[in-house]
Amino acid sequence: LISDQEAAELYRLQGNDAFRKGSYDEAIFFYGEALQYQKDNAAIYTNRAMASLKVDNCLQAESDCTQAIALDPQNAKAFHRRGLAREKLGDLNGAAEDFKKALGLMNDDSIAKNLAQIQELIKKRDSEQHNEEEKKKTEKGKQKQKIDVEAIRNEAKELFQTGQFPLAVEKYSLILQESDISEENRVLFLNNRAACYIQMKYE
């Protein structure tokens, strides 16, 4: 008979061998078997996380790394691999935090490179979000202008009806400065302003 620790080690080694051969699903199986005998081994969790990343099972990889970190809070590999999983899952901020933590625990060029790349992605994302927000503000501004145009049109109409033709001309001219009115309305407002000029001529 062998001990649980020895059984776990045998399965872990089989998992490592399968991983080196590129048999990632098989490696995941063996690491899982190893964990049945030794649930408090952070290295097995990080190994299974790496194999899970290879088959794009990022949720499993993230979960395994989180478990490894709970067992070993100074585990740089666990933070790094969780960062890789979170990046693929779209959690850029979480990935950046993990890469920073990993780099603080282990000065490694690959971690530094991943951190720099994720920071660039975050910068790009934030810039795009800012541009989208500005676009929405502009669209809201245009909508407000449309409402104002309608209000000014009503004011101009009332001024015309009460004989205040110069003021009506100012209102129609203000409307015609807007670029966001239809050609049909532009012709209508030009005609209305012309009518004001005619009335002013014969006053």
Side-chain angles (χ1 to χ4, degrees), residues 15 17-28:
D17 187 52
F19 186 92
R20 282 193 292 270
K21 293 176 180 177
S23 302
Y24 303 120
D25 286 323
E26 187 178 349
I28 290 168

Side-chain angles (χ1 to χ4, degrees), residues 4-184:
D4 286 352
Q5 184 175 351
E6 289 172 328
E9 181 64 10
L10 285 173
Y11 278 120
R12 186 186 72 81
L13 292 174
Q14 285 179 287
N16 289 351
D17 187 52
F19 186 92
R20 282 193 292 270
K21 293 176 180 177
S23 302
Y24 303 120
D25 286 323
E26 187 178 349
I28 290 168
F29 169 77
F30 283 126
Y31 291 137
E33 290 299 302
L35 287 169
Q36 295 297 317
Y37 293 95
Q38 197 173 25
K39 296 182 184 296
D40 60 351
N41 189 319
I44 299 174
Y45 282 104
T46 56
N47 286 356
R48 188 169 70 173
M50 194 64 210
S52 295
L53 283 171
K54 292 291 187 179
V55 295
D56 288 328
N57 190 348
C58 298
L59 287 173
Q60 182 64 59
E62 181 186 31
S63 176
D64 280 346
C65 288
T66 298
Q67 186 62 40
I69 291 165
L71 293 168
D72 178 11
Q74 304 301 308
N75 193 319
K77 286 183 179 180
F79 279 108
H80 185 211
R81 291 171 188 178
R82 190 172 70 174
L84 294 172
R86 287 180 168 175
E87 180 181 359
K88 288 188 175 184
L89 290 168
D91 181 8
L92 302 186
N93 288 355
E97 288 302 312
D98 280 342
F99 290 150
K100 285 178 187 176
K101 185 69 176 178
L103 194 59
L105 293 168
M106 181 172 65
N107 190 11
D108 182 270
D109 288 344
S110 64
I111 299 174
K113 182 180 179 181
N114 286 332
L115 176 58
Q117 288 176 340
I118 205 75
Q119 287 175 331
E120 189 62 30
L121 286 173
I122 289 172
K123 183 179 178 181
K124 183 180 179 181
R125 180 202 63 189
D126 291 347
S127 176
E128 289 175 352
Q129 287 179 346
H130 175 73
N131 291 339
E132 187 63 27
E133 287 171 3
E134 289 300 312
K135 183 180 177 181
K136 287 180 180 178
K137 287 179 183 178
T138 300
E139 288 174 353
K140 284 183 180 179
K142 287 181 178 180
Q143 290 174 358
K144 186 176 180 181
Q145 285 178 357
K146 288 178 183 178
I147 294 170
D148 290 345
V149 165
E150 184 63 22
I152 295 170
R153 186 188 71 80
N154 290 331
E155 289 176 18
K157 184 177 179 181
E158 186 177 340
L159 288 167
F160 182 88
Q161 290 172 346
T162 57
Q164 302 179 68
F165 305 118
L167 291 176
V169 166
E170 289 181 13
K171 296 293 183 182
Y172 284 124
S173 296
L174 185 62
I175 294 171
L176 289 164
Q177 290 175 9
E178 297 295 332
S179 61
D180 204 29
I181 59 176
S182 68
E183 189 59 31
E184 182 181 353

